[in-house]
């Protein structure tokens, strides 16, 4: 690694030579020359600091890698025969084994997602996963968000230093799905796809809010599709999922990619609308946003909005699971804690 | 967005019971977050005249007052004249004053949302005090706490209910703002009144002053000039100077209208601008004319709209000094900046108690510019909320009419200049032609064109009906109506979505195709869970330190520019480090032996497809044991899980030494890890093995830890159907064979060679299997090892004999002696 700063380059040479002689390799990270460089950083004028700081960090990283490398060489365990089914000299009772089935478990979010996908599959929907890193076009542009539009603020998106986006909704796949299945429409068949995926929002964590969670998107396009179809389809899915008859209600909402847009609620299946903790005593649970796909979104995918209309929706999965089991903190889902995970099968 | 029902009722009947009205608003306008019953907070409070007032002996601020409530309140102690005694600590209390009295038993309105303070009759310094006389703050009408709120004789008389006099028997309905992102007209009471009329199927007509083109008289005495350098971002700039202004508190009725919607009353001029904003959604601003003139050149007040000069600063009304962003809209004189257009006024030209002349500004600012300015400087004001939705630039002159009326009425303001209307607004009317069938098809309804027209005309659309076609012209404040689909939404919403027919779309019997990747993941999940492993999900973003701790390079990873914290700064390069990072906490929680697996996407900067990163779908598993009763390397435990997947999915795998690990696989210890290949190809599925010492130490992993990370798409392509072998009818013969080889000969080499020779040597038409019994190395001979195999063979034709089997085993052993110098023991 070549250092541009003369001073740092000199220290690098000195330290690397010293490293070879050191008994305890870790000591190189405590070298006084290295500390002196960090102290020097504070005295520099502010314009020079970022570059100097970057190079000191690069040097520290290089030294750290050398320490790790030495450690790995010195303390590595002896090589083994990786083609063998078990280690040499192991008694029969000590051969490797799988763990008992009763300790195993599937992640509850994934189990729920499988169930949800199965219902939609039975209703005639194919499925495809959404992306975990995407661009502005798919996140906003193809979905009728004009540049600089205030609606973009509602999404609290994470961005990368290269200008890519961590998707804040699974709608990033709408344009791709519509384009890929346009041919269906020409053959007199509908576009019917659900899209599960991980999404990200720049939000502070608490018991009800996570920055990483799962959504399920849905898209249905055909000739003569209307808003009544939308409500009926979602009602049918939710009745199947909860295994009982439900009342539904919609409230007008606003999304740039649907017109009209709705928030969709069902009568609380846990108390049959009488009022309980789950529905905060209101008797209703608001579950998802939906609407008729905006003509601009259809046009962007090359679909004639005069002839074809469709609807779309987005639903959060964590909430379904939390309500079902009475889970008190959404952060457990990504915690990898066996205390939590082994409660599910 | 808070709505005052009483204010709305000035414009439309809205006669429904509150519960039904709230339901309808929720179903047809926007979700209702809260409904506040304002009236209940003011129950029992009455207007009283202070008849007599004397200083209380021994106190420097208390007075003993006799108040006249016209005998209204029951069960309270009265003197011989029927007056009630109240001790009051306000400095401005005097006889003859009309004020609000809170009798015993009433609650102080300002305490309603916290700990309710209920008044009692009590003694203060030996004097009976029945309740209290109220200040604006106690009445939750303003911040003023220095004295009693003095009421105007014209408002009411002693004994009148305070709640009725000031129309406080009101409901405040808080509607979720997100619904109104594209409805700038709904940020004013007139717009909301119109909507409520529309959804209750009542016809609505805006007040004359809002509907009609005004013509203004000309004032004089206050020279005023306007210079708009940004006509595209400030399409309308209406300005007028007013003289003879008398700054005073607003009348109480006005103060209550502001306070009930969360706006603080300040003085009559500022309050009128806020009142008119709350009424119409159009923000206004008032400047002190003389201060503006003093800051202008040329003996007149000059108002200009321009971009800031480099380095220019401005002190705002909130006291903060900012350097406005280069493209911000600045309001300035011809000498200096005096306001951040559409966001907040400047401190130097603020209207204050000695202001005699004002300039009223009613402008339209580009919504995108206002949003950028607001975000750049962290300023979120009522004006910003309204301008960022795109207020119509056709309403300004009408709004000014109302403002002028109120300013004259309440502050004595007279025109001091002409009304300058710097107008670049696009006035073209936009007619949307739409067929009745277009609307019905998208709603699933069967409405008649005339019915659709009525719904729209109720909210002041102009609709021409020509057979089956409508020509729809939206009123000027509806900037959201552009496409036919916008008309569809309007008709559906006003009609009511609960009338939509709930019918499922029809389909044919063709089953929907399942997605291969999702199916594979479900199958893998089931196999590994059954094998005793636990499926986990961990974050896609990791700390740069984690990458370094496992020897991966953060420079290869996509980095977030607005990460929540350094813990979540990089898109992970592989799944294994996240699983390893989850090991320690589970061990501390008491789990001694476990296997975690995860399926997820990983990315690296070095793999792009077009402009987007390639998404690698991986499966990773980590096995660990902090206390293991079993000897033997962890490698083999992890291998067991991978082999189970191979068994279930018909994978033919080959394990070769891990020579040059990829970026992803640098975590593995080369001497104790394998590259996993699809047998017969050089295609690598992934890597399997134990982890480097440095990784174990950095992540506090038990020594007995190993895992694998493989590509799911490659696994999918390598899957084979399970094969079935027909059962031989003749009995199996089993024999063991022990072979001694040099230590460097791998088990794999030996097993492959043995199988090859056995298949050559065995009789035809037989089924042969081998299994491994033992791998043994003597302490005193580490240059050799012994592997014992169990060979079982059965024929499809006849019973085989032990001698036969032994014979071909010898044959195979002989060949192995040649090939590998293997000795049969």
């Amino acid at each position: 690694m070549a250092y541009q700063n003369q001073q740092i380059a000199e220290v690098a040479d000195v330290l690397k030579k010293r490293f070879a002689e050191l008994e305890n390799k870790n000591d190189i990270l405590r070298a006084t020359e290295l500390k002196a460089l960090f102290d020097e950083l504070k005295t520099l004028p502010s314009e020079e600091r970022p570059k100097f700081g970057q190079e000191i960090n690069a040097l520290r990283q290089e030294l750290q890698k050398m320490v790790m490398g030495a450690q790995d060489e010195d303390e590595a365990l002896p090589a083994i025969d990786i083609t063998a089914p078990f280690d040499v000299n192991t008694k029969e009772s000590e051969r490797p084994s799988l763990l008992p089935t009763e300790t195993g478990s599937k992640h509850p979010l994934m189990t729920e997602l499988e169930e949800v996908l199965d219902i939609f599959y039975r209703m005639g929907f194919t499925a495809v996963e959404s992306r975990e890193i995407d661009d502005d076009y798919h996140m906003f542009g193809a979905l009728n968000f004009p540049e600089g539009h205030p609606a973009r603020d509602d999404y609290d998106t994470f961005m990368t230093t290269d200008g890519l986006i961590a998707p804040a909704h699974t709608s990033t796949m709408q344009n791709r799905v519509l384009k890929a299945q346009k041919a269906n429409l020409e053959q007199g068949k509908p576009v019917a796809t659900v899209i599960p995926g991980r999404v990200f929002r720049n939000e502070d964590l608490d018991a009800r809010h996570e920055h990483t969670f799962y959504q399920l998107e849905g898209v249905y396009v055909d000739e003569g599709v209307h808003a009544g179809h939308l409500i009926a389809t979602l009602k049918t899915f939710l009745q199947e999922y909860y295994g009982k008859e439900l009342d539904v209600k919609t409230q007008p909402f606003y999304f740039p990619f649907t017109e009209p847009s709705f928030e969709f609620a069902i009568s609380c299946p846990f108390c049959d609308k009488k009022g309980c903790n789950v529905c905060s005593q209101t008797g209703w649970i608001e579950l998802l946003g939906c609407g008729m796909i905006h003509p601009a979104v259809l046009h962007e995918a090359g679909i004639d909005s005069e002839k074809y209309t469709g609807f779309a929706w987005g639903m959060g999965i964590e909430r379904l699971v939390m309500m079902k089991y009475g889970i008190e903190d959404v952060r457990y889902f990504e915690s990898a804690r066996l205390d939590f995970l082994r409660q599910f099968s | 967005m808070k709505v005052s029902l009483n204010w709305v009722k000035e414009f439309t009947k809205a006669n429904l019971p509150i519960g039904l009205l709230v339901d309808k608003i929720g179903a047809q306008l926007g979700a209702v977050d809260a409904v506040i019953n304002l009236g209940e907070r003011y129950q029992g409070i009455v207007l009283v005249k202070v008849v007599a007032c004397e200083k209380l002996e021994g106190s420097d601020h208390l007075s003993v007052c006799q108040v006249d409530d016209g005998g209204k309140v029951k069960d309270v102690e009265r003197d011989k004249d029927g007056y009630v005694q109240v001790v009051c600590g306000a400095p401005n209390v005097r006889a003859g004053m009309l004020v609000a009295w809170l009798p015993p038993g009433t609650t102080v309105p300002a305490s309603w949302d916290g700990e309710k303070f209920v008044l009692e009759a009590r003694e203060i310094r030996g004097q009976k005090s029945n309740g209290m006389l109220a200040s604006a703050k106690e009445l939750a009408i303003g911040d003023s706490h220095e004295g009693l709120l003095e009421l105007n004789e014209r408002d009411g008389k002693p004994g009148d209910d305070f709640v009725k006099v000031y129309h406080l028997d009101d409901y405040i309905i808080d509607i979720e703002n997100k619904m109104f992102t594209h409805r700038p007209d709904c940020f004013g009471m007139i717009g909301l009144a119109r909507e409520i009329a529309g959804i209750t199927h009542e016809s609505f007509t805006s007040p004359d002053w809002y509907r009609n083109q005004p013509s203004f008289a000309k004032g004089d005495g206050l020279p005023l000039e306007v210079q708009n350098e940004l006509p595209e971002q400030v399409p309308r700039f209406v300005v007028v100077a007013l003289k003879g202004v008398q700054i005073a508190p607003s009348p109480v009725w006005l103060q209550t209208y502001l306070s009930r919607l969360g706006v603080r009353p300040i003085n009559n001029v500022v309050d009128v601008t806020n009142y008119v904003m709350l009424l119409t959604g159009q923000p206004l601003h008032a400047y002190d004319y003389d201060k503006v003139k003093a800051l202008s050149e040329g003996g007149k007040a000059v108002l200009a709209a321009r971009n800031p000069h480099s380095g220019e600063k401005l002190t705002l009304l909130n006291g903060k000094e900012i350097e406005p962003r280069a493209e911000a809209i600045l309001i300035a004189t011809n000498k200096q900046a005096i306001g951040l257009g559409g966001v907040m006024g400047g401190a130097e030209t603020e209207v204050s108690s000695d202001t005699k002349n004002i300039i009223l500004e009613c402008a339209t600012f580009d919504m995108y510019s206002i949003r950028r300015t607001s975000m750049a400087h962290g300023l979120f004001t009522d004006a910003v909320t309204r301008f960022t939705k795109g207020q119509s630039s056709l309403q300004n002159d009408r709004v000014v009419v109302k403002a002028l009326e109120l300013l004259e009425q309440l502050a004595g303001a007279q025109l001091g200049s002409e009304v300058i209307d710097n107008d670049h607004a696009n006035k073209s009317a936009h007619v949307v032609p739409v067929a009745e069938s277009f609307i019905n098809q998208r709603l699933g309804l069967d409405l008649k064109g005339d019915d659709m027209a009525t719904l729209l005309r109720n909210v002041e659309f102009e609709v021409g009906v020509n057979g089956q076609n409508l020509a729809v012209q939206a009123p000027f404040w509806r900037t959201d109506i552009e496409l036919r689909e916008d008309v569809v939404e309007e008709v559906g919403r006003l009609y009511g979505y609960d009338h939509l027919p709930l019918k499922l779309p029809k389909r044919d019997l063709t089953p929907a195709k399942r997605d291969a990747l999702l199916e594979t993941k479900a199958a893998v999940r089931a196999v590994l869970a059954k094998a005793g492993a636990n499926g986990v999900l961990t974050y896609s973003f990791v700390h740069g330190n984690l990458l370094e701790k496992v020897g991966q390079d953060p420079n290869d990873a996509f980095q977030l520019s607005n990460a929540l914290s350094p813990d979540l700064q990089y898109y992970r390069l592989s799944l294994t480090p996240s699983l390893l990072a989850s090991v320690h906490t589970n061990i501390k929680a008491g789990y001694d032996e476990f296997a975690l697996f995860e399926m997820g996407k990983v990315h690296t900067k070095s793999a792009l497809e077009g402009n987007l990163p390639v998404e690698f779908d991986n499966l990773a598993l980590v096995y660990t044991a902090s206390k293991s009763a079993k000897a033997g390397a962890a490698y083999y435990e992890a291998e067991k899980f991978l082999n189970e997947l191979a068994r279930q999915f018909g994978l033919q795998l080959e394990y070769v030494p891990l020579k040059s690990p990829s970026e992803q696989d640098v975590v593995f210890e080369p001497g104790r890890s394998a590259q996993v290949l699809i047998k017969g190809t050089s295609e690598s599925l992934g890597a399997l093995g134990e982890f480097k010492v440095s990784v174990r130490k950095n992540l506090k992993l038990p020594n007995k830890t190993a895992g694998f990370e493989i590509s799911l798409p490659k696994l999918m392509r390598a899957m084979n159907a399970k094969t079935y072998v027909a059962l031989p009818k003749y009995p199996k013969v089993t024999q063991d064979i022990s072979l001694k080889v040099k230590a460097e000969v791998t088990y794999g080499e030996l097993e492959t060679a043995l199988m090859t020779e056995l298949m050559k040597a065995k009789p035809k038409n037989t089924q042969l299997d081998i299994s491994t019994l033992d791998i043994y190395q003597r302490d005193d001979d580490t240059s050799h090892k012994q592997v014992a195999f169990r060979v079982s063979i059965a024929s499809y034709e006849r019973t085989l004999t032990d001698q036969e089997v032994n014979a071909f085993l010898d044959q195979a052993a002989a060949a192995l002696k040649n090939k590998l110098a293997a000795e049969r023991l």
Side-chain angles (χ1 to χ4, degrees), chain A residues 112-332:
Chain A
E112 210 64 25
L113 205 43
E114 282 177 25
E115 203 182 307
V116 165
L117 289 176
D118 182 66
I119 298 176
F120 280 114
Y121 167 74
R122 287 188 279 135
M123 288 170 75
F125 286 82
T126 57
V128 65
E129 271 191 337
S130 69
R131 288 185 60 98
E132 283 185 25
I133 190 170
D134 217 324
D135 56 28
D136 185 273
Y137 174 73
H138 289 95
M139 177 69 208
F140 291 123
L143 295 171
N144 198 37
F145 286 79
E147 283 260 4
H149 195 273
R152 288 175 176 235
D153 296 336
D154 295 335
Y155 288 86
D156 299 320
T157 48
F158 287 112
M159 318 246 323
T160 72
T161 52
D162 325 70
L164 295 169
I165 295 187
H169 53 195
T170 37
S171 314
T172 48
M173 300 301 286
Q174 276 195 26
N175 180 269
R176 295 178 172 106
V177 163
L178 292 173
K179 278 192 175 131
Q181 296 188 40
K182 228 184 347 189
N184 284 15
L185 295 172
E186 285 148 30
Q187 291 163 25
K189 297 201 184 79
V191 174
T193 302
V194 288
I195 306 160
R198 186 179 265 216
V199 297
F200 311 92
R201 303 255 172 129
N202 193 342
E203 266 184 35
D204 286 325
L205 264 61
D206 60 36
R208 317 231 62 188
H209 297 98
E210 249 285 10
H211 52 67
T212 301
F213 54 98
Y214 283 81
Q215 272 190 354
L216 181 93
E217 186 90 1
V219 170
Y220 187 85
V221 179
D222 201 357
E223 269 184 80
V225 174
H226 58 67
H229 292 138
L230 160 61
I231 299 175
T233 302
L234 293 175
K235 183 177 183 186
T236 300
F237 161 71
L238 288 161
Q239 290 186 155
E240 184 69 17
Y241 177 75
Y242 282 113
K244 53 167 70 171
E245 299 263 314
L246 299 169
D247 288 334
V248 300
K249 80 174 175 189
T250 57
Q251 301 188 306
F253 200 64
Y254 171 74
F255 296 109
F257 41 90
T258 45
E259 178 89 350
S261 312
F262 307 98
E263 280 184 326
F264 191 96
I266 50 168
S267 54
C268 181
F270 300 97
C271 62
D272 293 329
K273 228 171 160 184
K274 297 192 195 73
C276 66
N277 271 347
V278 181
C279 61
S280 304
Q281 312 300 333
T282 61
W284 292 92
I285 299 181
E286 202 181 279
L287 269 187
L288 51 88
C290 60
M292 300 299 288
I293 301 177
H294 195 286
V297 174
L298 293 173
H299 296 162
E300 195 63 33
I303 295 175
D304 178 6
S305 67
E306 185 74 45
K307 192 166 181 204
Y308 302 106
T309 47
F311 55 80
W313 73 89
M315 183 172 84
I317 306 294
E318 275 79 358
R319 188 123 177 278
L320 295 178
V321 179
M322 288 175 80
M323 289 193 296
K324 185 169 177 171
Y325 293 102
I327 297 172
E328 75 280 17
D329 195 321
V330 69
R331 294 167 286 190
Y332 292 150

Side-chain angles (χ1 to χ4, degrees), chain B residues 155 165-167 250-258 260 275 406 409-410:
Chain B
D155 294 344
V165 168
Y166 296 106
H167 309 149
S250 297
V252 175
W253 67 262
L254 181 62
Q255 292 190 45
T256 66
Y257 272 102
L258 295 180
R260 76 184 74 186
Y275 177 89
L406 288 169
Q409 190 189 322
L410 303 179

Side-chain angles (χ1 to χ4, degrees), chain B residues 801-813:
Chain B
T801 62
D802 282 331
Q803 293 93 314
E804 253 187 295
V805 173
N806 207 14
F808 80 76
L809 278 186
D810 278 338
Q811 221 182 314

Side-chain angles (χ1 to χ4, degrees), chain B residues 526-586:
Chain B
V527 168
L528 290 178
K530 191 162 163 215
N534 304 101
V536 314
L537 293 172
T538 55
Y539 293 136
S540 303
F541 309 129
V542 295
H543 201 306
N545 283 353
L546 178 61
L547 296 173
E548 283 174 21
K549 278 183 188 170
V550 301
Q552 289 177 335
D553 189 356
N555 290 322
D556 290 332
F558 289 99
Q559 186 183 0
L560 294 183
S561 56
N562 59 339
L564 268 176
S565 78
D567 279 326
L568 302 160
Q569 197 154 37
Y570 293 90
Y571 265 95
R572 53 192 174 175
L573 294 163
S574 66
L575 300 175
T576 302
S578 302
L579 291 180
L580 294 177
S582 311
V583 164
H584 185 62
T585 34
N586 279 309

